[in-house]
Amino acid sequence: MKIATLDGIRLHYREDGDPDGQPVVFANSLGTDLRLWDEVLPHLPKGLRLIRYDKRGHGLSEAPAAPYAMGQLVHDVEMLLDHLQVRDAVFVGLSIGGMIAQGLAAKRLDLVRAVVLSNTAAKIGTRDMWAERIAKTESEGLAAMSDAVLERWFAPAFHETDAIHGWRAMLERQPAHGYAGCCAAIAGTDFMTTTAALRLPLLAIAGSDDGSTPADLVRETADLVPGAEFALIRGAGHLPCAEKPEEYARILSDFLAAQGCL
Ligand SMILES: O=C(O)CC1=CCC(=O)O1
């Protein structure tokens, strides 16, 4: 198991693939850990250096007292990539992970050569919506919200699979204050202006049944950046990498090939 203590925060990460290959970094969504990418990685071409990590408050990373700020989440991964001596990575971020991707690309272009913004936006939800979710998480715990969250995560057919129970367990086992801390970071984030100033290769991925960041919202963020590409995965919700991993990997592989990464 790999843990790096960086500026006082313990971050859990994992590396797969070729240590000398093109780095591809994956950032997870709210309520998930780095296993979010388990089904995608085996379908990616060989020769890539695949780096995943748990953001603060999630998975096996430390969960300091909430709330967190988006700047802290960006700084955490910035330190991790410096620690791993990564430069010019393709950064794949899903939902809050996609917000981290936008923040990192705006701050440290030396670390990021291209971004994949999956099921995310420059701004997600409203302050009131997040305040409500934080209050419920703190008072009732994550299990009280998991039905509603899973409705947004997956299209109807996936709810009939055994795998749905694993995703529920992953969500409910996150530290409640870590989850709430990340909700606060999302509530305080509006990257409209900074993302519109980005000039780098960008692929946005959306799910047709995404109840959290609907496809139109994802496309709106992609449209901020000249030349951005957009891919829609039909029959998938907010976590298409879990629901349609082969299609997700194909879209990602095509993008990596177009960037000369393969
Ligand atoms: O609505 C959800 O729970 C999904 C979500 C919103 C931001 C994020 O990272 O996940």
Side-chain angles (χ1 to χ4, degrees):
M1 180 186 305
K2 298 265 176 49
I3 301 283
T5 304
L6 303 164
D7 210 359
I9 177 104
R10 282 189 301 278
L11 294 175
H12 172 230
Y13 68 97
R14 179 170 168 171
E15 290 204 59
D16 295 281
D18 182 348
D20 298 319
Q22 163 65 46
V24 183
V25 181
F26 295 86
N28 323 320
S29 62
L30 186 66
T32 67
D33 61 37
L34 54 69
R35 289 172 292 182
L36 178 62
W37 309 99
D38 274 358
E39 307 286 319
V40 169
L41 267 45
H43 298 292
L44 294 177
K46 302 275 170 280
L48 298 166
R49 181 182 180 192
L50 303 167
I51 301 164
R52 303 182 263 172
Y53 77 105
D54 292 331
K55 66 188 159 301
R56 64 170 64 203
H58 284 69
L60 300 183
S61 287
E62 197 178 346
Y68 312 147
M70 185 56 64
Q72 286 176 307
L73 301 182
V74 171
H75 185 55
D76 289 347
V77 72
E78 183 185 353
M79 288 189 299
L80 180 63
L81 297 188
D82 281 337
H83 173 73
L84 299 175
Q85 297 186 315
V86 168
R87 291 284 176 280
D88 295 323
V90 176
F91 198 102
V92 184
L94 194 145
S95 204
I96 187 176
M99 291 183 133
I100 294 169
Q102 293 169 68
L104 187 69
K107 187 177 179 193
R108 289 286 305 272
L109 211 44
D110 59 316
L111 297 181
V112 183
R113 65 182 274 185
V115 286
V116 178
L117 302 185
S118 183
N119 305 79
T120 192
K123 178 173 168 25
I124 301 176
T126 62
R127 279 190 182 270
D128 285 352
M129 183 202 109
W130 291 111
E132 212 174 285
R133 201 185 298 194
I134 291 167
K136 188 160 171 129
T137 304
E138 287 172 346
S139 60
E140 297 174 44
L142 281 166
M145 297 196 311
S146 52
D147 282 344
V149 171
L150 289 166
E151 284 301 316
R152 296 190 292 266
W153 278 6
F154 299 112
F158 198 79
H159 288 264
E160 306 307 318
T161 66
D162 287 335
I164 193 82
H165 303 290
W167 293 102
R168 180 186 294 277
M170 186 189 286
L171 171 65
E172 293 181 354
R173 289 176 194 179
Q174 301 304 326
H177 72 279
Y179 182 95
C182 285
C183 290
I186 298 171
T189 300
D190 182 345
F191 278 142
M192 281 292 186
T193 308
T194 43
T195 295
L198 292 178
R199 294 294 176 267
L200 81 173
L202 188 154
L203 165 67
I205 301 177
S208 62
D209 293 41
D210 187 339
S212 299
T213 49
D216 285 351
L217 182 70
V218 179
R219 189 190 282 273
E220 225 174 80
T221 295
D223 286 347
L224 294 173
V225 180
E229 294 171 42
F230 176 82
L232 178 68
I233 301 186
R234 294 190 187 281
H238 189 60
L239 306 182
C241 52
E243 205 167 0
K244 305 271 182 190
E246 290 187 39
E247 188 174 347
Y248 196 95
R250 186 183 48 71
I251 291 166
L252 182 53
S253 302
D254 288 350
F255 181 69
L256 292 169
Q259 302 314 312
C261 296
L262 305 180

